[in-house]
Structures are given as C-alpha cells and as structure tokens.
Amino acid sequence: MGHQMLRAVLDHLTQTGQLLRCDVPVDARYELGAVLTYFSSEQPILFSNVKGHAMPVAGGLFGNRRLIYEYLGTTPEDRMARLMRAVAEPAAPRRVEQGPVQEQVITSGIDIRRMFPVPVSNEKDSAPFLTAGMFIYRNIDDGRINMAVRRFQVNEGNSINVLVSGASPLLREQLARCKEAHRPLECAVVLGYDAAFLLASQLSSRKYGLDKYEVDSALRGEPLELVRCRTIDLEVPAEAEIVFEGVIEPGHECTEGPFAELMGYYSEVAPAPLITIKAVTRRRDAIFQHAYPCREEHLSYGIMREMEVYAALRDIVQVQDVNLTLGGGCRLHAAVSIKKRTEGDAMSAILTTLGTYKDIKHVMVVDDDVDIFDPRDLEFALASRFQASRDLVIIPHALGSPLEASHQERGVSDKLGIDATKPLEDPHHLYERAMLPGFSRAFDIRKYFPDHK
C-alpha cells in the first residue's frame, strides 16, 4: 500500500472506520450514482462488485470538508494558513524510476469502455464519462505543469473528449498555439489521487503561474513522487491507480454532451477536443476512482477560492472566515464572517468579495457570532439583522459563471450583496444572543448518550 495518493486515503478511511464497503452487485449505469447521491457524495464508498467488471470503484472520497481537512492533517481554523503557505512556498517533487502505476502497460487493443467500469450518471448524459479524471499537460512556454479535474466523454475504443470551457483560457491558448505550430498537445489523465493533489489542481494557472506539482508537494509536506510516462514527455504520480497517456491533434474534435453539470443542469452540446489514448498504465490491482458530478470537484474548487477571497478581505476588514456554500455549487454563493470595527466594514466586504472572484453571484456578510457553515444560523442573521431598504446591494449586468444557467441565458449576471451584520452601537441590547454559560454549541453530547453518532 502506498503512502501517497488514493491508497493513502483508503488506508486512513479504513483505519478510522469511515470507509463504507458495498459488496452487493451494482450497475455502473445510474445505480452506482444513485447510491453515492443518497449520501450526498459525503460518504466514501468502495464498490467491490460492479456488474460486468472485476475492478472495484471508489467514490464519495472528497465530498466532505471535514474529511478533506483530515486527509491534509489540518483543521478548519488552520486551513487558510496551510493553503496560503503552499502557494507562497511551493516545494520540488521527486522523480523516481518506477512506481505502482506502471505495473501494467497497455499500448494496443485499448477499449476504455470495455476495460474500465466508467459510470453513466444521469438520464440524458451522452455517454459514460470520466468525472474524476485529472487532466495534466506541460505549458509549452515555460514547461510548468498545469492540471485540473475535467470531464471526459468516453467514446468508442481509445478516444475520449476533454471539455475545454470558456473558464479555461490558458488551455484554450495552449491548444491554439499547438494548432499554429502543427504539433499535438501531449497530455495525461490520472485516476487515483489524494486531497493534496486535488486541491493543488484547483489553483488558477494563469493567476499564480505556479507548477502545480510543486504546490502539491508543499501541501502534502513531502515531495510528490513522479514517474515518467511511457509514450509522452510528462511525469505523473508514481502511486496513482490508472493513467491514460494521450495526444490532442490540432483540429481533432467531435460532439460532446449533454452532461449534467453544476447545479444539476445539463450542459450545452458542442464540439470538444479529442484525446487519442496511446497507452494505459495501471496498478495490477487498480481501483477506479469516480466522483458523481460534480460535488467533489466543486467542493475542492470552493475551498481554494475561499482562500483567495479570505486573502483579499484581510487587507480590507477583520475577516474571520469564508464559505462558498454547497447549495451554491461551491462557487455562486459566499458567506463571509467579519469582526466588525466600523459601520462600513460589511459593505466593503461585499464589494471586495464580488470583485475577487467573478463566479460569486450572491454574498452575505455576517458577524463573527454567526456560524457561516450552518444554514440555520445564516437564516437567523438574515431574519433578524437585515433590512432590505438599507442593507441590500445590487450590481446589474456583471460577469458571472459560464456554468450557471441564468448567466448562460443572458451572458451577464446580476450580483447581490446582503449586509446581515448588527449595528456597532446597541444601547438597548436588542442584538444580544442568548447563551448557555459553560457550553458551546458544539459540546460533546456523547457524555450523556455514549452510543450517539
């Protein structure tokens, strides 16, 4: 068992009793996804009996914040410093001569649908999709590694599509450069990674200009171990489960979609670049990694954007924490906690949050006595500390998320900010919350009910 990537995650979950094992036969078409969605993709599950395939499937690994912090060995309170330090102080990975991910190398007769239990998740999805695949390529200008979780429509044989949306300007630029130079873009798709690898992938390559393997090494606190691919000029994690080595030939496209994406809406049908898979490398006992769309990717994306918003806010106000909420797809809705010092702080926080990250559509700013990860507490603040005539900010016709349906319809988004903070002066103690002395809201109820979970 490896000390990095998916095997390390499964080791931790097994040792802590948090991995659920499903030995009942499960169909990769719809049924597997139905089980994951029952648990809102928050419960890690190992499916050992996928119909028609001997390979097990792991899912629900990164849909729970608490588990992501556990994997990283951090806490909710310390996570911001940990993430910012990895960006500020990237560390070198380590190249090794061989790794488990190349125990088997397949270069002929590649048929991905036959070889792997690739799920179909929703009714109108055009095909099976790799939804946890990490797309990796080398920047042709400076050689830095870029990577991101993308969706891959699995076609017949050794052909898959990769989605390159309007939110991927750097990759679009790289593909255009390759087309001008009449050269293919070499790339790899990796399955079987861990939380550090996932979070590092969510940084903006254009904004930070970092090699994401170096960010990963800083996040995990040790060098990421890499092995050279067999058919292309790339390195990939030595302890991953499966790697698809491929090339994108200039101008090679085919129709991709529909696919159920952000907020559960189907994406548009459009041409997308084709990847021709030249080789598949894998562990002998490989485990297929799946993420029901799109909770796991979007949660990790939101965690990294929270860091960026927090970093921008701390120069403006005394920010306590930031939450890009699950209900808003971890990108459309922000809740911000501040320690209010002047009456203008909340409005400054609203404008800074909306200006930091264009996908945020609605932001709510609250005092530091409100738990921004508890929807009931946020509703409490909205109900008792907000007056629409004075505390509402509306910014019409702004840039929004290309993955959001109402933005796609209009091409612009209206932004909304809510100041749900209490006034600094409260002479009549109207806003004083009732407290139980000596007991926080998170006290351990198992003292009274030892078997309570």
Side-chain angles (χ1 to χ4, degrees), residues 93-128:
R94 178 188 298 127
R95 273 72 180 180
V96 296
E97 291 302 314
Q98 57 187 3
V101 76
Q102 292 183 345
E103 289 173 342
Q104 292 186 350
V105 179
I106 304 159
T107 57
S108 63
I110 297 172
D111 184 337
I112 298 172
R113 290 192 186 187
R114 175 182 58 81
M115 295 165 62
F116 298 99
V118 187
V120 178
S121 295
N122 289 289
E123 178 187 15
K124 295 183 179 180
D125 288 356
S126 56

Side-chain angles (χ1 to χ4, degrees), residues 58 69 71 80 87 100-101 104 209 229 244 286 300 307 312 314 325 344 366 373 412 435 452:
Y69 302 153
Y71 299 146
M80 292 296 189
V87 173
V101 76
Q104 292 186 350
C229 287
F244 302 97
S300 62
M307 176 201 68
R314 68 177 183 168
T325 69
V366 298
F373 294 93
V412 292
M435 302 293 291
H452 179 76

Side-chain angles (χ1 to χ4, degrees), residues 52-245:
H53 294 273
M55 184 177 292
V57 175
L61 301 170
F62 306 111
N64 184 307
R65 278 180 180 270
R66 177 186 56 78
L67 281 176
I68 290 177
Y69 302 153
E70 279 188 26
Y71 299 146
L72 289 178
T74 190
T75 64
E77 296 76 19
D78 294 337
R79 79 185 193 281
M80 292 296 189
R82 177 76 174 274
L83 297 173
M84 289 189 288
R85 188 163 57 248
V87 173
E89 302 172 6
R94 178 188 298 127
R95 273 72 180 180
V96 296
E97 291 302 314
Q98 57 187 3
V101 76
Q102 292 183 345
E103 289 173 342
Q104 292 186 350
V105 179
I106 304 159
T107 57
S108 63
I110 297 172
D111 184 337
I112 298 172
R113 290 192 186 187
R114 175 182 58 81
M115 295 165 62
F116 298 99
V118 187
V120 178
S121 295
N122 289 289
E123 178 187 15
K124 295 183 179 180
D125 288 356
S126 56
F129 277 79
L130 301 172
T131 54
M134 188 70 72
F135 181 75
I136 298 172
Y137 69 96
R138 192 185 307 281
N139 191 309
I140 60 177
D141 298 312
D142 56 24
R144 290 191 176 108
I145 290 294
N146 292 325
M147 63 185 191
V149 177
R150 297 187 179 277
R151 72 175 193 235
F152 303 89
Q153 177 179 282
V154 180
N155 306 313
E156 299 294 335
N158 67 334
S159 168
I160 62 177
N161 286 85
V162 57
L163 176 70
V164 186
S165 70
S168 307
L170 184 58
L171 179 54
R172 282 179 172 269
E173 180 184 287
Q174 296 286 300
L175 290 170
R177 296 276 301 280
C178 287
K179 187 174 183 178
E180 290 172 4
H182 303 287
R183 55 171 282 190
L185 179 68
E186 295 185 328
C187 57
V189 180
V190 174
L191 292 175
Y193 47 78
D194 58 16
F197 199 72
L198 176 59
L199 290 171
S201 76
Q202 300 304 306
L203 282 173
S204 167
S205 298
R206 181 178 289 274
K207 180 174 183 177
Y208 292 99
L210 296 171
D211 187 308
K212 294 190 180 182
Y213 282 170
E214 296 182 356
V215 177
D216 170 285
S217 295
L219 264 179
R220 74 176 59 251
E222 65 178 11
L224 171 65
E225 294 191 348
L226 301 171
V227 66
R228 185 177 176 83
C229 287
R230 294 299 185 93
T231 62
I232 57 175
D233 183 21
L234 279 177
E235 292 85 30
V236 291
E239 295 188 19
E241 298 293 313
I242 302 162
V243 173
F244 302 97
E245 301 180 7

Side-chain angles (χ1 to χ4, degrees), residues 314-371:
R314 68 177 183 168
D315 293 330
I316 307 297
V317 296
Q318 194 168 335
V319 58
Q320 303 299 296
D321 209 343
V322 178
N323 176 20
L324 294 182
T325 69
L326 289 170
C330 301
R331 67 175 69 206
L332 303 177
H333 287 172
V336 175
S337 168
I338 66 172
K339 189 178 288 292
K340 192 169 172 181
R341 295 174 296 185
T342 70
E343 287 298 350
D345 281 355
M347 288 298 175
S348 294
I350 288 170
L351 296 175
T352 300
T353 301
L354 293 175
T356 298
Y357 175 45
K358 69 178 179 60
D359 282 21
I360 295 176
K361 188 176 180 181
H362 305 141
V363 55
M364 182 174 174
V365 179
V366 298
D367 298 291
D368 60 343
D369 65 336
V370 174
D371 182 355

